[in-house]
């Protein structure tokens, strides 16, 4: 789906920018890796963590990377064991305590290591789709910054994205039924290509250093304090 391709490309781009071209020396954790789509993009040093054992098994096969079965609330890793941390639409999940998860990320990262979080934006946008995928919260930029700062992170970048398509998202949210299905589905090829092109434009703007003022999602790049 266009949204997942756009998210993964954005994460790869911004992780590389945050590292300044330096190779990662150590494990990069995809925390809440699902069935492994992002894990497969993170390279040979990637490891996964996934609560659902079936998804964890699928992720390991897809990415060819080790995947631990466990919770981001209490991770099975030693202090300062990780070189980087990626969390994509995990802190919003009903089974996750955002503060505990952020503190666990801080515990397991080395001083100065990079953490990248993607979050659904704006609490007032909670929808039928969120209920379908077990999201119970969405975040503003200020809320995400405050959470990470309170857990020992320095926020390096905080940008909304999915901005160009945000008016369509709003219209969909206003008109959808309470029992509407998830937004995750197959799209006609022409529409998938059009939406992908919109995200590519935004990715270029974010890569050039711009911080987009609104959007359906929020990307945070942070650094673990020393």
């Amino acid at each position: 789906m266009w949204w997942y391709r756009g998210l993964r490309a954005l994460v790869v781009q911004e992780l590389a920018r945050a590292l300044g071209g330096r190779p990662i020396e150590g494990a990069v954790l995809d925390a809440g890796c699902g069935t492994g789509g992002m894990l497969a993009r993170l390279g040979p040093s990637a490891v996964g963590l996934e609560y659902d054992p079936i998804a964890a098994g699928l992720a390991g096969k897809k990415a060819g990377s080790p995947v631990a079965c466990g919770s981001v609330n209490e991770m099975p890793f030693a202090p300062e064991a990780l070189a980087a941390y990626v969390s994509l639409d995990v802190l919003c999940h009903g089974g996750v305590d955002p503060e505990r998860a952020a503190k666990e990320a801080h515990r397991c990262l080395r001083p100065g290591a990079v953490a990248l979080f993607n979050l659904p934006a704006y609490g007032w946008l909670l929808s039928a789709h969120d209920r379908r995928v077990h999201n119970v919260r969405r975040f503003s930029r200020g809320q995400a910054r405050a959470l990470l700062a309170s857990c020992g992170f320095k926020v390096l970048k905080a940008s909304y994205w999915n901005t160009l398509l945000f008016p369509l998202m709003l219209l969909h949210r206003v008109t959808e039924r309470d029992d509407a299905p998830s937004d995750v589905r197959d799209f006609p090829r022409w529409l998938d290509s059009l939406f992908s092109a919109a995200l590519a434009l935004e990715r270029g703007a974010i890569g050039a250093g711009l911080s987009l003022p609104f959007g359906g999602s929020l990307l945070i790049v942070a650094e673990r304090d020393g």
Side-chain angles (χ1 to χ4, degrees):
M1 182 183 163
W2 58 273
W3 188 88
Y4 287 104
R5 294 198 311 272
L7 169 63
R8 291 166 188 165
L10 180 61
V11 168
V12 169
Q13 170 186 288
E14 293 306 305
L15 184 59
R17 283 175 57 84
L19 293 169
R22 305 186 311 273
I24 298 178
E25 298 181 358
V28 181
L29 178 67
D30 185 355
C33 64
T35 57
M38 186 71 240
L39 187 63
R41 296 286 305 272
L42 290 175
S45 60
V47 296
L49 176 67
E50 172 54 40
Y51 186 78
D52 183 273
I54 295 175
L58 292 171
K61 291 177 182 177
K62 181 185 292 184
S65 299
V67 178
C69 193
S71 171
V72 295
N73 292 331
E74 190 174 355
M75 298 198 297
F77 303 105
E80 301 185 8
L82 302 175
Y85 178 95
V86 174
S87 171
L88 306 185
D89 288 9
V90 174
L91 299 187
C92 53
H93 194 274
V96 173
D97 180 325
E99 185 173 358
R100 283 183 64 191
K103 286 180 177 178
E104 274 291 274
H106 186 275
R107 179 184 70 81
C108 294
L109 282 167
R110 300 170 185 170
V114 171
L116 194 150
F117 299 84
N118 192 73
L119 303 164
Y122 307 125
W124 49 267
L125 271 181
L126 274 171
S127 65
H129 165 75
D130 288 299
R131 291 191 292 275
R132 296 286 186 185
V133 297
H134 309 293
N135 288 347
V136 299
R137 62 186 70 87
R138 302 174 73 97
F139 295 80
S140 69
R141 180 157 38 196
Q143 288 170 331
R145 279 182 173 275
L147 169 66
L148 294 176
S150 71
C151 296
F153 286 96
K154 176 185 176 182
V155 175
L156 305 177
K157 175 180 284 190
S159 178
Y160 291 102
W161 64 279
N162 205 4
T163 300
L164 295 174
L165 300 175
F166 192 63
L168 291 178
M169 181 180 176
L170 278 179
L171 179 62
H172 178 62
R173 292 291 185 261
V174 168
T175 58
E176 74 177 2
R177 305 186 315 271
D178 288 342
D179 61 347
S182 167
D183 295 341
V184 179
R185 62 183 184 277
D186 289 329
F187 283 71
R189 182 173 296 180
W190 68 270
L191 190 57
D192 187 282
S193 297
L194 181 64
F195 289 172
S196 294
L199 294 190
L201 286 173
E202 295 179 15
R203 191 160 61 249
I206 293 170
L210 297 180
S211 181
L212 302 183
F214 62 89
S217 293
L218 175 63
L219 185 78
I220 305 285
V221 182
E223 182 180 83
R224 189 229 199 252
D225 64 18

